[in-house]
Amino acid sequence: MSFEQWYLEIPIVTRCYLTASVLTTAACYFDIISPFSLYLNYRLIFEKHEYWRILTNFFFFGMPSLDFVFHMYFLVRYCRLLEEGPSFRGRSADFFIMLMFGASIMLAIAPFSSVLFLGYSLTFMMVYVWGRRNETFPMNFLGLFNFPAPWLPWVLLAFSVLLGASPVVDLLGIFVGHIYYYLEDVA
């Protein structure tokens, strides 16, 4: 399968999010734009009318690195699994609404946290929702241990903390994912 075939087989919402994220990162890497013009800053949004920051903070995942590749993998994998899975198959607009719901809640919570780029949290939200909707799916972490899919976000959170990352970004995604899961599947 060629890259073009693989790319065109990705569902539309996932493909658009992946494309926007890669193009944003490439533009920053080649100094076409600066990450400082993308991050979420409400003072600049409201006082300087830099409204693009409401969206662009979801598209920047850091400069090209192993971490960037890792996050693009999770974005494509779990975004695609949700969009093509039984929850949203043939309902890309509903999937887009789920992402907008999650993004809106994250934007409302962001002033109370130190998170400047919410793309990581939105990806974590998708991992959480996918895990909750696939409760019996067996997972394996680095070949070390097996666990059911709902534990995936917690395993990834623990791994991030062990590597020295702040848990705030991941917890924000888990929290918003749980709100969506509760409102859509439980209540």
Side-chain angles (χ1 to χ4, degrees):
M1 174 183 295
S2 71
F3 176 77
E4 182 182 7
Q5 287 174 319
W6 172 82
Y7 179 75
L8 293 175
E9 286 181 3
I10 298 173
I12 188 69
V13 175
T14 303
R15 186 174 45 214
C16 289
Y17 192 26
L18 171 67
T19 303
S21 298
V22 170
L23 289 177
T24 301
T25 298
C28 290
Y29 180 75
F30 292 113
D31 288 326
I32 297 168
I33 57 173
S34 167
F36 293 112
S37 65
L38 303 175
Y39 74 95
L40 184 64
N41 182 322
Y42 283 106
R43 187 184 63 74
L44 293 174
I45 291 169
F46 293 116
E47 291 177 13
K48 303 281 187 186
H49 308 288
E50 296 180 3
Y51 301 115
W52 63 84
R53 292 176 183 273
I54 294 169
L55 291 177
T56 57
N57 79 89
F58 288 100
F59 300 138
F60 184 70
F61 285 82
M63 291 299 185
S65 64
L66 186 59
D67 185 54
F68 173 76
V69 171
F70 180 73
H71 279 93
M72 289 302 98
Y73 170 77
F74 271 92
L75 185 145
V76 170
R77 176 157 172 81
Y78 293 100
C79 199
R80 182 178 191 164
L81 285 171
L82 275 173
E83 192 172 357
E84 290 180 335
S87 300
F88 295 106
R89 184 177 294 124
R91 298 176 31 228
S92 291
D94 291 339
F95 180 68
F96 181 74
I97 289 170
M98 180 198 79
L99 292 180
M100 291 301 99
F101 173 82
S104 299
I105 292 178
M106 288 177 194
L107 288 167
I109 294 172
F112 306 104
S113 71
S114 59
V115 181
L116 301 176
F117 294 100
L118 295 170
Y120 297 110
S121 298
L122 192 62
T123 302
F124 230 79
M125 177 193 130
M126 289 183 278
V127 170
Y128 182 87
V129 171
W130 178 85
R132 294 300 297 205
R133 290 187 169 176
N134 294 278
E135 292 186 354
T136 60
F137 193 85
M139 302 295 296
N140 183 301
F141 186 72
L142 301 175
L144 299 175
F145 60 93
N146 298 320
F147 55 92
W151 290 15
L152 179 60
W154 302 105
V155 170
L156 294 174
L157 171 65
F159 187 67
S160 293
V161 170
L162 285 174
L163 292 177
S166 169
V168 174
V169 172
D170 298 347
L171 286 171
L172 178 59
I174 290 171
F175 176 71
V176 173
H178 186 72
I179 290 172
Y180 177 82
Y181 168 75
Y182 179 81
L183 293 175
E184 183 69 21
D185 297 346
V186 176

